[in-house]
Amino acid sequence: MAVLKPRELALHCARMIDDKGGLDLAVYQLPAKHAIFDYALVATGRSNRQVGAIVDEVLHFCKRHRIPHFPAEGESGWHLIDCYEVVVHALSQELRDFYRLERLWPDAKLLDISGELATLPRIEPKPEPKPEPKPEPKLEPAGASTPLDD
Protein backbone atom coordinates (compact mmCIF):
# COMPACT_ATOMS: atom_id res chain seq x y z
CA MET A 1 0.00 0.00 0.00
CA ALA A 2 1.35 3.39 -0.95
CA VAL A 3 1.34 5.85 1.91
CA LEU A 4 0.96 9.28 0.38
CA LYS A 5 0.52 12.58 2.12
CA PRO A 6 -2.44 14.60 0.83
CA ARG A 7 -0.18 16.97 -1.12
CA GLU A 8 1.61 14.04 -2.79
CA LEU A 9 -1.71 12.44 -3.72
CA ALA A 10 -2.95 15.75 -5.15
CA LEU A 11 0.22 16.04 -7.24
CA HIS A 12 -0.03 12.47 -8.52
CA CYS A 13 -3.66 13.16 -9.46
CA ALA A 14 -2.55 16.33 -11.24
CA ARG A 15 0.02 14.32 -13.20
CA MET A 16 -2.63 11.77 -14.22
CA ILE A 17 -4.98 14.54 -15.34
CA ASP A 18 -2.17 16.07 -17.39
CA ASP A 19 -1.27 12.67 -18.86
CA LYS A 20 -4.94 12.20 -19.89
CA GLY A 21 -4.95 15.57 -21.65
CA GLY A 22 -7.04 17.46 -19.09
CA LEU A 23 -7.19 21.21 -19.68
CA ASP A 24 -7.07 24.23 -17.34
CA LEU A 25 -5.96 22.14 -14.39
CA ALA A 26 -6.21 23.97 -11.08
CA VAL A 27 -4.99 22.50 -7.78
CA TYR A 28 -6.27 24.28 -4.69
CA GLN A 29 -4.83 23.88 -1.22
CA LEU A 30 -7.63 24.64 1.18
CA PRO A 31 -7.00 26.47 4.45
CA ALA A 32 -6.51 24.39 7.59
CA LYS A 33 -9.86 25.58 8.93
CA HIS A 34 -11.53 23.78 6.01
CA ALA A 35 -12.32 20.51 7.75
CA ILE A 36 -13.73 18.52 4.84
CA PHE A 37 -10.66 18.02 2.60
CA ASP A 38 -7.20 19.47 2.05
CA TYR A 39 -6.92 19.70 -1.76
CA ALA A 40 -9.37 20.19 -4.60
CA LEU A 41 -8.45 19.61 -8.22
CA VAL A 42 -10.57 20.99 -11.05
CA ALA A 43 -9.92 20.08 -14.68
CA THR A 44 -11.70 20.42 -17.98
CA GLY A 45 -12.17 17.63 -20.49
CA ARG A 46 -12.71 18.14 -24.21
CA SER A 47 -15.56 15.60 -24.27
CA ASN A 48 -17.78 13.66 -21.89
CA ARG A 49 -15.69 10.59 -22.59
CA GLN A 50 -12.49 12.38 -21.60
CA VAL A 51 -14.13 13.75 -18.44
CA GLY A 52 -14.96 10.18 -17.40
CA ALA A 53 -11.52 8.90 -18.39
CA ILE A 54 -9.79 11.45 -16.18
CA VAL A 55 -11.69 10.35 -13.09
CA ASP A 56 -11.36 6.66 -14.03
CA GLU A 57 -7.58 7.06 -14.18
CA VAL A 58 -7.53 8.53 -10.66
CA LEU A 59 -9.86 5.76 -9.46
CA HIS A 60 -7.60 3.03 -10.88
CA PHE A 61 -4.55 4.69 -9.33
CA CYS A 62 -6.27 4.66 -5.94
CA LYS A 63 -7.21 1.00 -6.33
CA ARG A 64 -3.72 -0.05 -7.46
CA HIS A 65 -2.09 1.74 -4.54
CA ARG A 66 -4.82 0.91 -2.02
CA ILE A 67 -5.61 4.56 -1.33
CA PRO A 68 -8.94 4.96 0.47
CA HIS A 69 -11.64 6.60 -1.64
CA PHE A 70 -15.35 6.76 -2.21
CA PRO A 71 -16.75 5.42 -5.49
CA ALA A 72 -16.48 7.76 -8.46
CA GLU A 73 -19.64 9.77 -9.02
CA GLY A 74 -21.02 11.83 -11.82
CA GLU A 75 -23.09 12.21 -14.87
CA SER A 76 -22.52 13.43 -18.36
CA GLY A 77 -20.10 16.33 -18.25
CA TRP A 78 -19.10 16.22 -14.56
CA HIS A 79 -17.40 13.41 -12.68
CA LEU A 80 -15.62 13.41 -9.37
CA ILE A 81 -13.77 11.12 -7.03
CA ASP A 82 -13.41 11.77 -3.32
CA CYS A 83 -10.16 10.44 -1.84
CA TYR A 84 -10.95 11.89 1.61
CA GLU A 85 -8.22 14.56 1.76
CA VAL A 86 -8.20 15.11 -2.02
CA VAL A 87 -11.23 15.62 -4.27
CA VAL A 88 -10.91 15.57 -8.07
CA HIS A 89 -13.52 17.24 -10.30
CA ALA A 90 -13.44 16.77 -14.07
CA LEU A 91 -15.96 18.82 -16.02
CA SER A 92 -16.86 19.72 -19.56
CA GLN A 93 -16.05 23.33 -20.50
CA GLU A 94 -19.75 24.19 -20.51
CA LEU A 95 -20.34 22.90 -16.97
CA ARG A 96 -17.12 24.38 -15.64
CA ASP A 97 -18.13 27.79 -16.96
CA PHE A 98 -21.62 27.40 -15.52
CA TYR A 99 -20.75 26.16 -12.00
CA ARG A 100 -17.43 27.96 -11.53
CA LEU A 101 -16.38 25.69 -8.65
CA GLU A 102 -13.40 27.88 -7.93
CA ARG A 103 -15.77 30.35 -6.25
CA LEU A 104 -16.38 27.76 -3.51
CA TRP A 105 -12.86 28.19 -2.17
CA PRO A 106 -12.04 31.91 -2.11
CA ASP A 107 -9.45 31.43 0.65
CA ALA A 108 -7.72 28.51 -1.06
CA LYS A 109 -4.17 28.75 -2.35
CA LEU A 110 -3.82 27.97 -6.06
CA LEU A 111 -0.71 25.83 -6.40
CA ASP A 112 1.87 26.35 -9.13
CA ILE A 113 2.45 22.67 -9.73
CA SER A 114 4.65 22.72 -12.83
CA GLY A 115 7.94 22.60 -10.89
CA GLU A 116 6.64 20.08 -8.37
CA LEU A 117 5.40 17.71 -11.08
CA ALA A 118 8.83 17.75 -12.73
CA THR A 119 10.46 16.41 -9.56
CA LEU A 120 7.62 14.14 -8.41
CA PRO A 121 8.78 10.51 -8.63
CA ARG A 122 6.45 8.09 -10.35
CA ILE A 123 5.25 5.31 -8.13
CA GLU A 124 4.51 1.91 -9.50
CA PRO A 125 2.30 -0.70 -7.87
CA LYS A 126 4.10 -3.47 -6.09
CA PRO A 127 3.79 -6.73 -7.97
CA GLU A 128 1.51 -9.29 -6.40
CA PRO A 129 3.46 -12.08 -4.71
CA LYS A 130 3.56 -15.24 -6.77
CA PRO A 131 1.93 -18.24 -5.11
CA GLU A 132 4.19 -21.08 -4.03
CA PRO A 133 4.10 -23.92 -6.57
CA LYS A 134 2.28 -26.99 -5.35
CA PRO A 135 4.39 -30.14 -5.13
CA GLU A 136 3.71 -32.67 -7.81
CA PRO A 137 1.93 -35.80 -6.53
CA LYS A 138 4.19 -38.85 -6.45
CA LEU A 139 2.94 -41.61 -8.71
CA GLU A 140 3.82 -45.22 -8.11
CA PRO A 141 5.08 -47.10 -11.13
CA ALA A 142 2.60 -49.49 -12.71
CA GLY A 143 2.65 -52.90 -11.09
CA ALA A 144 4.27 -51.72 -7.88
CA SER A 145 2.88 -53.38 -4.80
CA THR A 146 1.10 -51.30 -2.19
CA PRO A 147 0.51 -52.19 1.46
CA LEU A 148 -3.07 -53.17 0.62
CA ASP A 149 -1.89 -55.74 -1.95
CA ASP A 150 -0.01 -57.85 0.63
Side-chain angles (χ1 to χ4, degrees):
M1 172 160 82
V3 179
L4 297 175
K5 294 177 182 172
R7 185 180 190 94
E8 293 170 328
L9 178 57
L11 291 171
H12 280 288
C13 290
R15 175 183 280 157
M16 287 178 272
I17 291 168
D18 188 54
D19 289 349
K20 283 289 180 185
L23 304 172
D24 302 323
L25 173 61
V27 180
Y28 295 96
Q29 181 178 9
L30 297 150
K33 66 182 180 183
H34 197 289
I36 299 173
F37 48 88
D38 298 329
Y39 293 88
L41 286 77
V42 182
T44 303
R46 290 183 202 92
S47 67
N48 289 335
R49 180 174 279 196
Q50 185 183 29
V51 166
I54 288 168
V55 170
D56 284 347
E57 186 68 20
V58 174
L59 176 65
H60 293 303
F61 177 85
C62 290
K63 286 181 179 180
R64 282 191 311 265
H65 297 287
R66 297 183 177 106
I67 295 169
H69 62 280
F70 288 103
E73 297 182 35
E75 294 182 11
S76 180
W78 184 359
H79 291 262
L80 71 91
I81 183 164
D82 182 344
C83 304
Y84 295 93
E85 292 94 356
V86 176
V87 177
V88 176
H89 296 268
L91 300 96
S92 66
Q93 187 66 58
E94 179 183 0
L95 290 179
R96 186 164 181 177
D97 292 343
F98 181 79
Y99 287 107
R100 298 183 305 172
L101 294 178
E102 293 82 352
R103 294 179 307 148
L104 296 174
W105 313 295
D107 298 333
K109 177 183 174 185
L110 179 62
L111 299 183
D112 179 12
I113 58 169
S114 58
E116 291 187 67
L117 287 181
T119 61
L120 184 69
R122 292 193 181 267
I123 59 173
E124 300 299 327
K126 294 180 182 176
E128 294 292 323
K130 293 183 180 177
E132 293 288 325
K134 293 182 179 179
E136 293 290 322
K138 294 183 180 179
L139 299 175
E140 296 290 328
S145 66
T146 62
L148 295 177
D149 291 341
D150 294 335

